Amino acid sequence: MAPKKKKGKIVDWADDEHFSKDRSIFYIEHTTECPIFQVKADECLTFFQQRIPEREFQLVRNKNGKQVPRDGAFEVCISQNARTSEHELWSGITRGPPRRDKFPQYEDLVSDVHRVLRKFYPDKAVGIDDDEMDM
């Protein structure tokens, strides 16, 4: 029998103890029917942590387990921080088969992520030049 995984403590990133206006949140709803959905959620977070290293990102899966994910779901939303609204970046719910169509090309989401990050703090450069925004 495989050992049981310990569940980590669920953190409310919006409460006073954990809140940081410099921490953006990726909300990913993903099905648990296949492990690749969890891997792709981790890949998404890692991609943006490497692509925009001057910004802190946190991944919240399925509303910290409070949301039952829809079958075949892989949806990516971002918020500037834990106290701002979520903005949908990608929905794979109606995509596929094949399963690979359910997942975004992360590079295609970069301009949308920058748009959301600049919406609240336009005076702070967030790893992109104005020339790149026009593309």
Side-chain angles (χ1 to χ4, degrees), residues 73-112:
F74 192 85
E75 294 198 341
V76 181
C77 297
I78 188 173
S79 65
Q80 173 66 37
N81 61 55
R83 294 180 180 170
T84 58
S85 59
E86 295 178 31
H87 300 271
E88 185 176 291
L89 300 175
W90 173 266
S91 178
I93 196 82
T94 60
R95 299 174 192 254
R99 185 173 288 152
R100 69 176 171 262
D101 292 345
K102 296 225 174 249
F103 308 112
Q105 297 295 319
Y106 305 124
E107 191 64 41
D108 295 344
L109 303 180
V110 171
S111 63
D112 290 333

Side-chain angles (χ1 to χ4, degrees), residues 51 110-111 114 118 125-135:
R51 183 70 159 77
V110 171
S111 63
H114 284 295
R118 284 188 162 193
V126 186
I128 194 167
D129 297 327
D130 288 326
D131 295 342
E132 290 182 58
M133 286 296 288
D134 296 333
M135 295 178 128

Side-chain angles (χ1 to χ4, degrees), residues 5-24:
K5 287 185 179 179
K6 289 185 178 179
K7 287 200 172 200
K9 180 181 173 190
I10 295 176
V11 175
D12 179 4
W13 296 104
D15 68 16
D16 290 338
E17 180 183 351
H18 298 99
F19 177 74
S20 170
K21 69 178 185 173
D22 296 324
R23 181 185 301 116
S24 295

Side-chain angles (χ1 to χ4, degrees), residues 20-37:
S20 170
K21 69 178 185 173
D22 296 324
R23 181 185 301 116
S24 295
I25 309 291
F26 274 98
Y27 297 94
I28 298 184
E29 175 191 355
H30 65 79
T31 186
T32 54
E33 67 189 36
C34 179
I36 191 67
F37 288 84

